[in-house]
């Protein structure tokens, strides 16, 4: 009987350990610093846009609701009672 290696090992990254994969990524990033910085800034920019949309969306929704109610406001009976003609 042969003993097969389990492929569900969390430290297995296509035959390379997770530490080895991190080391390879670090070495490649240090060999090409401009490309690495460009890629990192792209990721940071995308995350910034995503978080901005996530934060602004509820505030914009409340703003639209308030604007809609103010735009649709019609004069009430009290508005007729307290008209500017009385002043």
């Amino acid at each position: 009987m042969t003993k097969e290696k389990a492929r569900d090992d969390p430290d297995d990254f296509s035959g390379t350990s997770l530490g080895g994969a991190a080391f390879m990524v670090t070495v490649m990033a240090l060999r090409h610093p401009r490309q690495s910085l460009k890629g990192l800034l792209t990721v940071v920019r995308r995350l910034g846009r995503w978080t901005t949309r996530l934060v602004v969306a509820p505030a914009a929704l409340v703003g639209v609701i308030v604007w809609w109610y103010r735009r649709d406001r019609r004069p009430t009976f009290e508005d007729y009672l307290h008209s500017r003609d009385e002043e």
Side-chain angles (χ1 to χ4, degrees), residues 7 10 14 16 22-23 25 27 31-32 36 50 58 60 68 74 86:
R7 292 287 178 193
S14 298
T16 306
F23 177 73
V25 168
V27 167
R31 287 186 75 189
H32 305 283
S36 301
W50 180 73
W68 187 264
R74 296 182 185 99
E86 290 181 357

Side-chain angles (χ1 to χ4, degrees), residues 53-86:
R53 282 190 221 127
L54 193 66
V55 170
V56 170
L61 181 63
V62 169
V64 166
I65 291 171
V66 168
W67 172 78
W68 187 264
Y69 281 124
R70 285 186 182 223
R71 187 182 72 86
D72 195 36
R73 188 176 179 280
R74 296 182 185 99
T76 62
F77 181 69
E78 288 186 9
D79 290 335
Y80 286 117
L81 285 178
H82 305 292
S83 66
R84 295 181 185 189
D85 296 335
E86 290 181 357

Side-chain angles (χ1 to χ4, degrees), residues 2-71:
T2 59
K3 202 175 195 182
E4 292 186 30
K5 183 179 178 185
R7 292 287 178 193
D8 296 333
D9 187 16
D11 199 32
D12 188 18
F13 188 73
S14 298
T16 306
S17 69
L18 207 53
F23 177 73
M24 291 289 286
V25 168
T26 304
V27 167
M28 293 309 288
L30 291 175
R31 287 186 75 189
H32 305 283
R34 286 188 179 147
Q35 291 176 351
S36 301
L37 184 61
K38 184 179 177 183
L40 181 65
L41 290 177
T42 302
V43 170
V44 168
R45 188 179 310 124
R46 286 182 184 168
L47 282 174
R49 288 178 187 164
W50 180 73
T51 54
T52 302
R53 282 190 221 127
L54 193 66
V55 170
V56 170
L61 181 63
V62 169
V64 166
I65 291 171
V66 168
W67 172 78
W68 187 264
Y69 281 124
R70 285 186 182 223
R71 187 182 72 86

